[in-house]
Amino acid sequence: MSAMPALNSFAFALLALFLKASLLSMFQVISRMRSKRYLLPEDAGLVGLTPVASESELVQRCMRVWRNDVENLPFFLSLALTYVLLGADQQPASYLFAAYVLVRYLHTIVYLRGLQPWRAMLYLTGMAICWMIAAGIFHNIMV
C-alpha cells in the first residue's frame, strides 16, 4: 500500500482546478474580443481599436472570479496536500477533494451569472470542506 493513498485524488483535483482556471481565462478572452473593449493601449491597438475606460461587465466578472480563486484555492491546495502527505485515507480524501472541485465549478458559474444567495452558499460550502480537511489533518497529527 502506498504511503500516500490519496495522492491520485489530490492530483485529479489539482488538474480539475487548473482546467477550470484555463477555461475561465479563455472565456474572459473571448468575452473581451466580443465586447471589443480593451483597457490597455497595446491590446486595443493589436485589433485596431482605441482603449476604453472600463471593460464589459462580463469581463469584469471574470476578473472577480479569477481574484476569488487566487484568494481561496491556495488554502484548499495547501490543506489538501498536507492531508495527503500525512497519509490521508483515499476514500474520504477523494470525496472531500471532488466535492471542493464541484463546489468551485458551481461557484464560478453562479458568480458569472450574478446569482445570490447561491454564490455565498457555495463559498461557505467550500470553506466548510476546507475545515473538514483541516480536521482530518488535525486527526492525522494526533494519531
Side-chain angles (χ1 to χ4, degrees):
M1 177 174 262
S2 169
M4 292 183 280
L7 186 58
N8 285 347
S9 297
F10 174 78
F12 179 79
L14 180 63
L15 290 173
L17 292 170
F18 175 72
L19 174 64
K20 185 184 89 63
S22 298
L23 291 172
L24 177 63
S25 183
M26 288 189 299
F27 184 68
Q28 183 177 7
V29 168
I30 291 167
S31 299
R32 186 174 283 127
M33 290 170 61
R34 283 186 176 169
S35 72
K36 298 181 182 178
R37 295 173 67 179
Y38 299 88
L39 290 178
L40 299 175
E42 62 271 20
D43 295 344
L46 186 64
V47 292
L49 298 171
T50 57
V52 295
S54 67
E55 301 209 70
S56 72
E57 174 61 25
L58 186 55
V59 171
Q60 290 179 44
R61 280 193 176 275
C62 288
M63 288 188 298
R64 289 192 292 270
V65 170
W66 185 270
R67 185 179 60 230
N68 187 279
D69 280 348
V70 168
E71 293 168 352
N72 289 281
L73 295 184
F75 287 118
F76 165 74
L77 294 171
S78 299
L79 287 166
L81 181 59
T82 302
Y83 190 41
V84 167
L85 292 174
L86 289 172
D89 290 332
Q90 194 273 331
Q91 189 172 6
S94 64
Y95 288 147
L96 288 168
F97 300 169
Y100 187 83
V101 168
L102 176 62
V103 163
R104 289 309 296 188
Y105 270 80
L106 293 172
H107 180 267
T108 295
I109 292 166
V110 301
Y111 204 135
L112 290 173
R113 298 193 64 205
L115 301 175
Q116 280 288 23
W118 301 108
R119 189 180 96 215
M121 289 170 33
L122 289 165
Y123 168 78
L124 293 173
T125 301
M127 288 301 295
I129 293 167
C130 285
W131 276 103
M132 286 186 252
I133 295 169
I137 291 169
F138 184 74
H139 174 76
N140 283 355
I141 291 171
M142 299 307 289
V143 172

